[in-house]
Coordinates of all heavy atoms in Angstrom, one line a residue:
D29 N 18.2 -18.3 17.3 CA 18.8 -19.3 16.5 C 17.7 -20.1 15.8 O 17.9 -20.5 14.6 CB 19.6 -20.3 17.4 CG 20.8 -19.6 18.0 OD1 21.2 -18.6 17.4 OD2 21.4 -20.2 18.9
F30 N 16.6 -20.4 16.4 CA 15.5 -21.1 15.8 C 15.0 -20.4 14.6 O 14.8 -21.0 13.5 CB 14.4 -21.4 16.8 CG 13.3 -22.2 16.4 CD1 13.5 -23.6 16.1 CD2 12.0 -21.7 16.1 CE1 12.5 -24.4 15.7 CE2 11.0 -22.5 15.7 CZ 11.2 -23.9 15.5
A31 N 14.8 -19.1 14.7 CA 14.3 -18.3 13.6 C 15.3 -18.3 12.4 O 14.9 -18.4 11.3 CB 14.0 -16.8 14.1
A32 N 16.6 -18.2 12.7 CA 17.6 -18.2 11.7 C 17.5 -19.5 10.9 O 17.6 -19.6 9.7 CB 19.0 -18.0 12.3
I33 N 17.4 -20.6 11.6 CA 17.3 -21.9 11.0 C 16.0 -22.0 10.1 O 16.1 -22.5 8.9 CB 17.2 -23.1 12.0 CG1 18.6 -23.2 12.7 CG2 16.9 -24.4 11.4 CD1 18.6 -24.0 14.0
E34 N 14.9 -21.5 10.6 CA 13.7 -21.5 9.8 C 13.9 -20.7 8.5 O 13.4 -21.0 7.4 CB 12.5 -21.0 10.6 CG 12.0 -21.9 11.7 CD 11.3 -23.1 11.1 OE1 10.4 -22.9 10.3 OE2 11.7 -24.3 11.4
I35 N 14.5 -19.5 8.7 CA 14.6 -18.6 7.5 C 15.6 -19.2 6.5 O 15.3 -19.1 5.3 CB 15.1 -17.2 8.0 CG1 14.0 -16.5 8.7 CG2 15.6 -16.4 6.8 CD1 14.5 -15.2 9.4
T36 N 16.6 -19.9 6.9 CA 17.6 -20.4 5.9 C 17.0 -21.6 5.1 O 17.5 -22.0 4.1 CB 18.9 -20.9 6.6 OG1 18.6 -21.8 7.6 CG2 19.7 -19.7 7.1
R37 N 15.9 -22.1 5.6 CA 15.2 -23.2 4.8 C 14.5 -22.6 3.6 O 14.2 -23.2 2.6 CB 14.1 -23.9 5.7 CG 14.7 -24.7 6.8 CD 13.6 -25.4 7.6 NE 14.3 -26.1 8.7 CZ 13.6 -26.7 9.6 NH1 12.3 -26.7 9.6 NH2 14.2 -27.4 10.6
Q38 N 14.2 -21.3 3.7 CA 13.4 -20.6 2.6 C 14.3 -19.7 1.8 O 14.0 -19.4 0.7 CB 12.3 -19.8 3.2 CG 11.3 -20.6 4.0 CD 10.4 -21.5 3.2 OE1 10.1 -21.2 2.0 NE2 10.1 -22.7 3.7
V39 N 15.4 -19.2 2.4 CA 16.2 -18.1 1.8 C 17.6 -18.5 1.9 O 18.1 -19.1 2.8 CB 15.9 -16.8 2.6 CG1 16.7 -15.6 2.0 CG2 14.4 -16.4 2.6
K40 N 18.4 -18.0 0.9 CA 19.8 -18.2 0.9 C 20.5 -17.6 2.1 O 20.1 -16.6 2.6 CB 20.5 -17.7 -0.4 CG 20.0 -18.4 -1.6 CD 20.7 -17.8 -2.9 CE 20.2 -18.5 -4.1 NZ 20.8 -18.0 -5.3
I41 N 21.6 -18.2 2.5 CA 22.3 -17.7 3.8 C 22.7 -16.3 3.7 O 22.6 -15.5 4.6 CB 23.5 -18.7 4.1 CG1 24.0 -18.3 5.6 CG2 24.6 -18.6 3.1 CD1 23.0 -18.7 6.7
E42 N 23.2 -15.8 2.5 CA 23.6 -14.4 2.3 C 22.4 -13.5 2.5 O 22.6 -12.4 3.2 CB 24.2 -14.2 0.9 CG 25.4 -15.0 0.7 CD 25.1 -16.4 0.2 OE1 24.0 -16.7 -0.3 OE2 26.0 -17.3 0.4
Q43 N 21.3 -13.8 2.0 CA 20.1 -13.0 2.2 C 19.6 -13.0 3.6 O 19.1 -12.0 4.2 CB 18.9 -13.5 1.3 CG 19.2 -13.3 -0.2 CD 18.2 -14.0 -1.0 OE1 17.8 -15.1 -0.8 NE2 17.7 -13.3 -2.1
T44 N 19.8 -14.2 4.3 CA 19.4 -14.3 5.7 C 20.3 -13.3 6.5 O 19.8 -12.6 7.4 CB 19.6 -15.7 6.2 OG1 18.8 -16.6 5.4 CG2 19.2 -15.8 7.7
R45 N 21.6 -13.4 6.3 CA 22.5 -12.5 7.1 C 22.2 -11.0 6.8 O 22.1 -10.2 7.8 CB 23.9 -12.7 6.6 CG 24.5 -14.0 7.2 CD 26.0 -14.1 6.9 NE 26.5 -15.4 7.5 CZ 27.0 -16.3 6.7 NH1 27.2 -16.1 5.4 NH2 27.5 -17.4 7.2
F46 N 21.9 -10.7 5.6 CA 21.5 -9.3 5.3 C 20.2 -8.9 6.0 O 20.2 -7.8 6.6 CB 21.3 -9.1 3.7 CG 20.8 -7.8 3.3 CD1 21.7 -6.7 3.3 CD2 19.5 -7.6 3.0 CE1 21.2 -5.4 2.9 CE2 19.0 -6.3 2.6 CZ 19.9 -5.3 2.6
F47 N 19.2 -9.8 6.0 CA 18.0 -9.5 6.7 C 18.2 -9.3 8.2 O 17.7 -8.3 8.7 CB 17.0 -10.7 6.5 CG 15.8 -10.6 7.3 CD1 14.8 -9.7 7.0 CD2 15.6 -11.3 8.5 CE1 13.6 -9.6 7.8 CE2 14.5 -11.2 9.2 CZ 13.5 -10.3 8.9
F48 N 19.0 -10.1 8.8 CA 19.2 -10.0 10.2 C 20.0 -8.7 10.6 O 19.7 -8.0 11.6 CB 19.9 -11.2 10.8 CG 18.9 -12.3 11.2 CD1 18.7 -13.4 10.4 CD2 18.2 -12.2 12.4 CE1 17.8 -14.4 10.7 CE2 17.3 -13.2 12.7 CZ 17.1 -14.3 11.9
E49 N 20.9 -8.4 9.7 CA 21.7 -7.1 9.9 C 20.8 -5.9 9.8 O 20.8 -5.0 10.6 CB 22.8 -7.0 8.9 CG 23.7 -5.8 9.1 CD 24.4 -5.8 10.4 OE1 24.7 -6.9 11.0 OE2 24.7 -4.7 10.9
L50 N 19.9 -5.9 8.8 CA 19.0 -4.9 8.5 C 18.0 -4.7 9.7 O 17.6 -3.6 10.1 CB 18.2 -5.1 7.2 CG 17.3 -4.0 6.7 CD1 18.1 -2.8 6.3 CD2 16.5 -4.5 5.6
M51 N 17.5 -5.8 10.3 CA 16.5 -5.8 11.3 C 17.0 -5.9 12.7 O 16.2 -6.0 13.6 CB 15.5 -6.9 11.0 CG 14.8 -6.8 9.6 SD 13.8 -5.3 9.5 CE 12.6 -5.6 10.7
K52 N 18.3 -5.9 12.9 CA 18.8 -6.3 14.3 C 18.3 -5.4 15.4 O 18.2 -5.8 16.5 CB 20.3 -6.3 14.3 CG 21.0 -5.0 14.1 CD 22.5 -5.2 14.1 CE 23.2 -3.9 13.8 NZ 24.7 -4.1 13.7
K53 N 17.9 -4.2 15.1 CA 17.3 -3.3 16.1 C 15.9 -3.5 16.3 O 15.3 -3.0 17.3 CB 17.6 -1.8 15.7 CG 19.0 -1.4 15.8 CD 19.3 0.0 15.5 CE 20.7 0.3 15.5 NZ 21.0 1.7 15.2
K54 N 15.2 -4.3 15.5 CA 13.8 -4.5 15.6 C 13.5 -6.0 16.1 O 12.4 -6.2 16.6 CB 13.1 -4.4 14.2 CG 13.2 -3.0 13.7 CD 12.3 -2.1 14.4 CE 12.3 -0.7 13.7 NZ 11.5 0.3 14.4
I55 N 14.4 -6.9 15.9 CA 14.2 -8.3 16.3 C 14.5 -8.4 17.8 O 15.5 -7.9 18.3 CB 15.1 -9.2 15.5 CG1 14.8 -9.2 14.0 CG2 15.1 -10.6 16.0 CD1 15.7 -9.9 13.1
I56 N 13.6 -9.1 18.4 CA 13.7 -9.4 19.9 C 13.9 -10.9 20.0 O 13.0 -11.7 19.6 CB 12.5 -9.0 20.7 CG1 12.3 -7.5 20.5 CG2 12.6 -9.4 22.1 CD1 11.0 -7.0 21.0
S57 N 15.0 -11.3 20.6 CA 15.2 -12.8 20.8 C 14.5 -13.2 22.1 O 14.6 -12.5 23.1 CB 16.7 -13.0 21.0 OG 16.9 -14.4 21.2
V58 N 13.7 -14.3 22.0 CA 12.9 -14.7 23.1 C 13.2 -16.3 23.3 O 13.5 -16.9 22.3 CB 11.4 -14.5 23.0 CG1 11.2 -13.0 23.0 CG2 10.8 -15.1 21.8
K59 N 13.0 -16.7 24.5 CA 13.0 -18.2 24.8 C 11.6 -18.6 25.0 O 10.8 -17.9 25.5 CB 13.9 -18.5 26.0 CG 15.4 -18.1 25.7 CD 16.2 -18.5 26.8 CE 17.7 -18.1 26.7 NZ 18.3 -18.6 25.5
Y60 N 11.3 -19.9 24.7 CA 10.0 -20.3 24.9 C 9.9 -21.2 26.2 O 10.9 -21.8 26.6 CB 9.4 -21.1 23.7 CG 10.2 -22.4 23.4 CD1 9.9 -23.6 24.0 CD2 11.2 -22.3 22.4 CE1 10.6 -24.7 23.6 CE2 11.9 -23.4 22.0 CZ 11.6 -24.6 22.6 OH 12.3 -25.8 22.3
T61 N 8.8 -21.2 26.8 CA 8.5 -22.0 28.0 C 7.9 -23.3 27.6 O 7.4 -23.5 26.5 CB 7.6 -21.3 29.0 OG1 6.3 -21.2 28.4 CG2 8.2 -19.9 29.3
A62 N 7.9 -24.2 28.6 CA 7.2 -25.5 28.3 C 5.7 -25.3 28.1 O 5.1 -26.0 27.2 CB 7.4 -26.5 29.5
D63 N 5.1 -24.4 28.8 CA 3.7 -24.1 28.6 C 3.4 -23.5 27.2 O 2.4 -23.9 26.5 CB 3.2 -23.0 29.6 CG 3.1 -23.6 31.0 OD1 3.1 -24.9 31.1 OD2 3.1 -22.8 32.0
E64 N 4.3 -22.7 26.7 CA 4.1 -22.1 25.3 C 4.3 -23.3 24.3 O 3.5 -23.3 23.3 CB 5.1 -21.0 25.0 CG 4.8 -19.7 25.8 CD 5.9 -18.7 25.8 OE1 7.1 -19.1 25.8 OE2 5.5 -17.5 25.9
L65 N 5.2 -24.1 24.5 CA 5.4 -25.3 23.6 C 4.2 -26.2 23.6 O 3.7 -26.6 22.5 CB 6.7 -26.1 23.9 CG 7.0 -27.2 23.0 CD1 7.2 -26.8 21.6 CD2 8.3 -27.9 23.5
E66 N 3.6 -26.4 24.7 CA 2.4 -27.3 24.9 C 1.3 -26.6 24.2 O 0.5 -27.2 23.5 CB 2.1 -27.6 26.3 CG 3.0 -28.6 26.9 CD 3.0 -29.9 26.2 OE1 1.9 -30.4 25.8 OE2 4.1 -30.4 25.9
Q67 N 1.1 -25.3 24.3 CA 0.1 -24.5 23.7 C 0.2 -24.7 22.2 O -0.8 -24.9 21.5 CB 0.1 -23.1 24.1 CG -1.0 -22.2 23.4 CD -1.0 -20.8 23.8 OE1 -0.1 -20.3 24.5 NE2 -1.9 -20.0 23.2
A68 N 1.4 -24.5 21.7 CA 1.7 -24.7 20.2 C 1.3 -26.1 19.7 O 0.7 -26.2 18.7 CB 3.1 -24.4 19.9
K69 N 1.6 -27.1 20.5 CA 1.3 -28.4 20.1 C -0.2 -28.7 20.1 O -0.7 -29.5 19.3 CB 2.0 -29.4 21.0 CG 3.5 -29.5 20.7 CD 4.2 -30.5 21.6 CE 5.7 -30.6 21.3 NZ 6.4 -31.5 22.2
R70 N -0.9 -28.0 21.0 CA -2.4 -28.1 21.0 C -3.0 -27.4 19.8 O -4.0 -27.9 19.2 CB -3.0 -27.6 22.3 CG -2.8 -28.5 23.5 CD -3.7 -28.0 24.7 NE -3.4 -26.6 25.1 CZ -2.5 -26.2 25.9 NH1 -1.7 -27.1 26.5 NH2 -2.4 -24.9 26.2
L71 N -2.4 -26.3 19.5 CA -2.9 -25.5 18.3 C -2.7 -26.3 17.0 O -3.6 -26.3 16.1 CB -2.2 -24.2 18.2 CG -2.6 -23.1 19.2 CD1 -1.6 -21.9 19.1 CD2 -4.0 -22.6 18.9
S72 N -1.6 -27.0 16.9 CA -1.3 -27.7 15.7 C -0.3 -28.8 16.0 O 0.9 -28.6 15.9 CB -0.7 -26.8 14.6 OG -0.4 -27.5 13.4
P73 N -0.8 -30.0 16.2 CA 0.1 -31.1 16.5 C 1.1 -31.4 15.3 O 2.2 -31.8 15.5 CB -0.8 -32.3 16.7 CG -2.1 -31.7 17.1 CD -2.2 -30.4 16.4
V74 N 0.6 -31.2 14.1 CA 1.5 -31.4 12.9 C 2.4 -30.3 12.6 O 3.6 -30.5 12.2 CB 0.6 -31.6 11.7 CG1 1.4 -31.8 10.4 CG2 -0.3 -32.9 11.9
N75 N 2.0 -29.1 12.8 CA 2.8 -27.9 12.5 C 3.1 -27.0 13.8 O 2.9 -25.8 13.8 CB 2.1 -27.0 11.5 CG 2.9 -25.9 10.9 OD1 4.1 -25.9 11.1 ND2 2.3 -25.0 10.2
H76 N 3.6 -27.7 14.8 CA 3.7 -27.0 16.1 C 4.9 -26.0 16.1 O 4.9 -25.0 16.9 CB 3.9 -28.0 17.3 CG 5.1 -28.7 17.3 ND1 5.3 -29.9 16.6 CD2 6.3 -28.5 17.9 CE1 6.5 -30.4 16.8 NE2 7.1 -29.6 17.6
T77 N 5.8 -26.1 15.1 CA 6.9 -25.1 15.1 C 6.4 -23.8 14.6 O 6.7 -22.7 15.2 CB 8.1 -25.6 14.2 OG1 7.6 -25.9 12.9 CG2 8.8 -26.8 14.8
D78 N 5.5 -23.7 13.6 CA 4.9 -22.5 13.2 C 4.0 -22.0 14.2 O 3.9 -20.8 14.5 CB 4.2 -22.6 11.8 CG 5.2 -22.7 10.7 OD1 6.4 -22.4 10.8 OD2 4.8 -23.1 9.6
A79 N 3.2 -22.9 14.8 CA 2.3 -22.5 15.9 C 3.1 -21.8 17.1 O 2.7 -20.9 17.7 CB 1.5 -23.7 16.4
L80 N 4.3 -22.4 17.4 CA 5.1 -21.8 18.4 C 5.5 -20.4 18.1 O 5.5 -19.5 18.9 CB 6.3 -22.7 18.7 CG 7.3 -22.2 19.8 CD1 6.5 -22.1 21.1 CD2 8.5 -23.1 19.9
H81 N 5.9 -20.1 16.8 CA 6.2 -18.7 16.4 C 5.0 -17.8 16.7 O 5.2 -16.7 17.2 CB 6.5 -18.7 14.9 CG 7.9 -19.2 14.5 ND1 9.0 -18.6 14.9 CD2 8.2 -20.3 13.9 CE1 10.0 -19.2 14.4 NE2 9.6 -20.3 13.8
A82 N 3.8 -18.3 16.3 CA 2.6 -17.5 16.5 C 2.4 -17.2 18.0 O 2.1 -16.1 18.4 CB 1.4 -18.1 15.9
V83 N 2.5 -18.2 18.9 CA 2.3 -18.1 20.3 C 3.3 -17.1 20.9 O 3.0 -16.2 21.7 CB 2.4 -19.5 21.0 CG1 2.5 -19.3 22.5 CG2 1.2 -20.4 20.6
L84 N 4.6 -17.3 20.5 CA 5.6 -16.4 21.0 C 5.4 -15.0 20.6 O 5.6 -14.0 21.4 CB 7.0 -16.9 20.6 CG 7.5 -18.2 21.2 CD1 8.8 -18.7 20.6 CD2 7.6 -18.0 22.7
A85 N 5.1 -14.8 19.3 CA 4.8 -13.4 18.8 C 3.7 -12.7 19.6 O 3.9 -11.6 20.0 CB 4.5 -13.5 17.3
K86 N 2.6 -13.5 19.8 CA 1.5 -12.9 20.6 C 1.9 -12.6 22.1 O 1.7 -11.5 22.6 CB 0.3 -13.8 20.6 CG -0.9 -13.3 21.3 CD -2.0 -14.3 21.3 CE -3.3 -13.7 22.0 NZ -3.1 -13.2 23.3
D87 N 2.6 -13.6 22.7 CA 3.0 -13.5 24.1 C 4.0 -12.3 24.3 O 4.0 -11.8 25.4 CB 3.6 -14.8 24.6 CG 2.5 -15.8 24.9 OD1 1.3 -15.6 24.7 OD2 2.9 -17.0 25.2
H88 N 4.7 -12.0 23.3 CA 5.8 -11.0 23.5 C 5.4 -9.7 22.8 O 6.3 -8.8 22.6 CB 7.1 -11.5 23.0 CG 7.6 -12.6 23.9 ND1 8.3 -12.4 25.1 CD2 7.5 -13.9 23.9 CE1 8.6 -13.5 25.7 NE2 8.1 -14.5 25.0
G89 N 4.1 -9.5 22.4 CA 3.7 -8.2 22.0 C 4.0 -7.8 20.5 O 3.9 -6.6 20.2
A90 N 4.3 -8.8 19.7 CA 4.5 -8.5 18.3 C 3.2 -7.9 17.6 O 2.1 -8.4 18.0 CB 5.0 -9.7 17.5
D91 N 3.4 -7.1 16.7 CA 2.2 -6.6 15.9 C 1.8 -7.6 14.9 O 0.6 -7.6 14.5 CB 2.6 -5.2 15.2 CG 2.8 -4.1 16.3 OD1 2.2 -4.1 17.3 OD2 3.7 -3.3 16.0
F92 N 2.7 -8.3 14.3 CA 2.5 -9.3 13.3 C 3.7 -10.2 13.1 O 4.8 -9.8 13.6 CB 2.1 -8.6 12.0 CG 3.0 -7.5 11.5 CD1 4.2 -7.8 10.9 CD2 2.7 -6.2 11.8 CE1 5.1 -6.8 10.5 CE2 3.6 -5.2 11.5 CZ 4.7 -5.5 10.8
L93 N 3.6 -11.2 12.3 CA 4.7 -12.1 12.0 C 5.1 -11.8 10.5 O 4.2 -11.5 9.7 CB 4.3 -13.6 12.0 CG 4.2 -14.2 13.4 CD1 3.5 -15.6 13.3 CD2 5.6 -14.4 14.0
I94 N 6.3 -11.8 10.2 CA 6.8 -11.7 8.8 C 7.2 -13.1 8.3 O 8.0 -13.8 9.0 CB 8.0 -10.7 8.8 CG1 7.6 -9.4 9.3 CG2 8.5 -10.6 7.3 CD1 8.8 -8.4 9.5
T95 N 6.6 -13.5 7.2 CA 6.9 -14.8 6.7 C 6.7 -14.8 5.2 O 5.9 -14.0 4.6 CB 6.0 -15.9 7.3 OG1 6.3 -17.2 6.8 CG2 4.5 -15.6 7.1
R96 N 7.3 -15.7 4.5 CA 7.1 -15.9 3.1 C 6.1 -17.0 2.9 O 5.6 -17.3 1.8 CB 8.4 -16.4 2.4 CG 9.3 -15.3 2.2 CD 9.6 -15.1 0.6 NE 10.1 -13.8 0.4 CZ 9.4 -12.8 -0.1 NH1 8.1 -13.0 -0.4 NH2 9.9 -11.7 -0.3
N97 N 5.7 -17.7 4.0 CA 4.9 -18.9 4.0 C 3.5 -18.6 4.7 O 3.2 -19.1 5.7 CB 5.6 -20.0 4.6 CG 4.9 -21.3 4.4 OD1 3.9 -21.4 3.7 ND2 5.4 -22.4 5.0
L98 N 2.8 -17.6 4.1 CA 1.5 -17.2 4.7 C 0.6 -18.4 4.9 O -0.2 -18.4 5.9 CB 0.9 -16.1 3.8 CG 1.6 -14.8 3.8 CD1 0.8 -13.9 2.8 CD2 1.6 -14.1 5.1
A99 N 0.5 -19.3 4.0 CA -0.4 -20.4 4.1 C -0.3 -21.2 5.4 O -1.3 -21.6 6.0 CB -0.3 -21.3 2.9
D100 N 0.9 -21.4 5.8 CA 1.1 -22.2 7.1 C 0.7 -21.4 8.3 O 0.5 -22.0 9.4 CB 2.5 -22.6 7.2 CG 2.9 -23.9 6.4 OD1 2.0 -24.4 5.7 OD2 4.0 -24.3 6.4
F101 N 0.5 -20.1 8.2 CA 0.2 -19.3 9.4 C -1.3 -18.9 9.4 O -1.8 -18.4 10.4 CB 1.1 -18.1 9.5 CG 2.5 -18.4 9.9 CD1 3.4 -18.7 9.0 CD2 2.8 -18.5 11.3 CE1 4.7 -19.1 9.4 CE2 4.0 -18.9 11.7 CZ 5.0 -19.1 10.7
V102 N -2.1 -19.2 8.4 CA -3.5 -18.9 8.3 C -4.2 -19.5 9.6 O -5.0 -18.8 10.2 CB -4.1 -19.4 7.0 CG1 -5.7 -19.4 7.1 CG2 -3.6 -18.6 5.9
P103 N -3.9 -20.8 10.0 CA -4.6 -21.3 11.1 C -4.4 -20.5 12.4 O -5.2 -20.7 13.4 CB -4.1 -22.7 11.3 CG -3.5 -23.1 10.0 CD -3.0 -21.8 9.4
F104 N -3.4 -19.7 12.5 CA -3.1 -18.9 13.7 C -3.5 -17.4 13.6 O -3.1 -16.6 14.4 CB -1.6 -19.1 14.0 CG -1.1 -20.5 13.8 CD1 -0.1 -20.8 12.9 CD2 -1.7 -21.5 14.5 CE1 0.3 -22.0 12.7 CE2 -1.2 -22.8 14.3 CZ -0.2 -23.1 13.4
N105 N -4.2 -17.1 12.6 CA -4.6 -15.7 12.4 C -5.5 -15.1 13.6 O -5.5 -13.9 13.8 CB -5.4 -15.5 11.1 CG -4.5 -15.3 9.9 OD1 -3.3 -15.1 10.0 ND2 -5.1 -15.5 8.7
S106 N -6.1 -16.0 14.3 CA -6.8 -15.6 15.5 C -5.9 -15.1 16.6 O -6.3 -14.3 17.4 CB -7.8 -16.6 16.0 OG -7.0 -17.8 16.4
L107 N -4.7 -15.6 16.6 CA -3.6 -15.2 17.5 C -2.9 -13.9 17.1 O -2.8 -13.0 17.8 CB -2.6 -16.3 17.7 CG -2.9 -17.5 18.6 CD1 -1.8 -18.4 18.6 CD2 -3.3 -17.0 20.0
I108 N -2.4 -14.0 15.8 CA -1.6 -12.9 15.3 C -1.7 -13.0 13.8 O -1.7 -14.0 13.2 CB -0.2 -13.0 15.8 CG1 0.6 -11.7 15.5 CG2 0.5 -14.2 15.3 CD1 1.8 -11.5 16.3
K109 N -1.7 -11.8 13.1 CA -1.7 -11.8 11.7 C -0.3 -12.0 11.1 O 0.7 -11.7 11.8 CB -2.2 -10.4 11.2 CG -3.7 -10.1 11.7 CD -4.7 -11.1 11.1 CE -6.0 -10.8 11.6 NZ -6.9 -11.9 11.5
S110 N -0.2 -12.4 9.9 CA 1.1 -12.6 9.2 C 1.1 -11.7 8.0 O 0.1 -11.5 7.3 CB 1.2 -14.1 8.8 OG 1.2 -14.9 9.9
K111 N 2.3 -11.3 7.6 CA 2.5 -10.5 6.4 C 3.8 -10.9 5.7 O 4.7 -11.5 6.3 CB 2.8 -9.0 6.8 CG 1.6 -8.3 7.5 CD 1.9 -6.9 7.8 CE 0.7 -6.2 8.4 NZ 0.9 -4.7 8.5
L112 N 3.8 -10.7 4.4 CA 4.9 -10.9 3.6 C 6.0 -9.8 3.9 O 5.6 -8.7 4.2 CB 4.6 -10.9 2.1 CG 3.7 -12.0 1.6 CD1 3.2 -11.7 0.2 CD2 4.5 -13.3 1.6
P113 N 7.2 -10.1 3.7 CA 8.3 -9.0 4.0 C 8.0 -7.8 3.2 O 8.2 -6.7 3.7 CB 9.6 -9.7 3.6 CG 9.3 -11.2 3.7 CD 7.9 -11.4 3.4
E114 N 7.7 -7.9 1.9 CA 7.5 -6.7 1.1 C 6.3 -5.9 1.5 O 6.1 -4.7 1.0 CB 7.4 -7.1 -0.4 CG 6.4 -8.1 -0.8 CD 6.9 -9.5 -0.7 OE1 7.8 -9.8 0.0 OE2 6.2 -10.3 -1.4
D115 N 5.4 -6.4 2.3 CA 4.2 -5.7 2.8 C 4.4 -5.0 4.1 O 3.5 -4.3 4.6 CB 3.0 -6.6 2.9 CG 2.6 -7.2 1.6 OD1 2.9 -6.5 0.5 OD2 2.0 -8.3 1.6
V116 N 5.7 -5.0 4.6 CA 6.0 -4.4 5.9 C 6.5 -3.0 5.6 O 7.3 -2.7 4.8 CB 7.0 -5.2 6.7 CG1 7.4 -4.5 8.0 CG2 6.4 -6.6 7.0

C-alpha cells in the first residue's frame, strides 16, 4: 500500500494500476520493522520514507529500486542502486 501511495504521487492512477498489473509477479510486498524504520531515519531524517524504501529493498534482496525520482535516492546508492523504469 505504501508503494502504491508513493507511485500515485508521481503517476496517474490508471498508469499505476497498469504498472502493478504488469509487475504483479515480480513485486514482493514486505512489512517494515521498527529497527528498519529507525535505520531509515538515521540515514535521512528529512527523507526517511525514501530511505526506508532503500533499506527494505536491500534487506529483502532486491537487485535495484525502480523510481522516476533518481535524485532522491542518490544518498542511498551505497545500499542499493536505483534505475528509471525504462532502463529495466
